[in-house]
Amino acid sequence: MRISSIVGAAGLLLLVAGPGVAAAGTGPSGEWLVEDHSAVVRISKCGGGYCGFVAKGQPGKDYRNPDPSKRNRSVIGIEVFFGMRPAGPNSWAGQTYNSEDGQMYNGKITLTSENTLQVEGCVPGGGPCGSQSWTRAR
C-alpha cells in the first residue's frame, strides 16, 4: 500500500482554509479517498479531537516502523492521524504517521468544502512539508 499517498510527499501536510470552507459545525469525520485513490482513511472523533485509521487499500506491512514488534503488522487498520485538535476555522492539527518511512510528522487537516479535505504534514522542527487534497468517499 502506498501510504505516501496517505501522508504526502515528505510525510504529511499543512494548509489554510480557503474561501470555500465547510459550513459551521461540520467536521472531518467520515471516510476520505486519498489523492492517488490507493487508500481510504476513516476519520472519527476520539479523545477531544480526531484520529484517522487506514480503512481500505492494498495490503502491505508496516515494515519501516521504528518499533520492531510492529513491523509485521498490516497497514490496513493502522492509525495515521493522532490527536487532531482545533487549529482554526475548519482546521485541526496534531501528528501523523507515515508507514512509507516509519516517521511521525506534524500534521494539519483543513476541511475546505463538505467533500474536500486538505492534508498537510511537516517534518518536526521546521523541516519540509507536503500536502494533498482528499475527497470524501461515497
Side-chain angles (χ1 to χ4, degrees):
M1 172 177 204
R2 294 191 46 187
I3 295 301
S4 62
S5 63
I6 294 175
V7 291
L12 305 180
L13 332 130
L14 176 79
L15 290 188
V16 178
V21 293
T26 62
S29 291
E31 291 193 343
W32 295 92
L33 184 62
V34 301
E35 193 167 80
D36 74 356
H37 297 195
S38 66
V40 172
V41 172
R42 181 175 299 125
I43 298 175
S44 58
K45 285 195 170 223
C46 57
Y50 289 93
C51 55
F53 295 84
V54 178
K56 300 174 190 171
Q58 298 173 351
K61 301 290 182 183
D62 190 15
Y63 66 94
R64 293 207 173 153
N65 194 299
D67 179 347
S69 69
K70 295 180 179 179
R71 292 182 184 154
N72 202 32
R73 70 180 178 170
S74 173
V75 293
I76 306 298
I78 65 170
E79 190 168 5
V80 293
F81 292 138
F82 300 85
M84 292 290 186
R85 302 210 186 281
N90 299 306
S91 200
W92 300 264
Q95 291 190 307
T96 59
Y97 173 69
N98 179 0
S99 71
E100 288 282 311
D101 62 11
Q103 300 298 310
M104 295 292 289
Y105 294 89
N106 295 327
K108 187 172 184 180
I109 56 177
T110 302
L111 196 58
T112 59
S113 76
E114 181 180 343
N115 295 312
T116 305
L117 186 70
Q118 284 299 137
V119 180
E120 181 183 279
C122 298
V123 173
C129 298
S131 66
Q132 291 187 2
S133 181
W134 294 2
T135 56
R136 194 175 292 277
R138 301 257 176 210

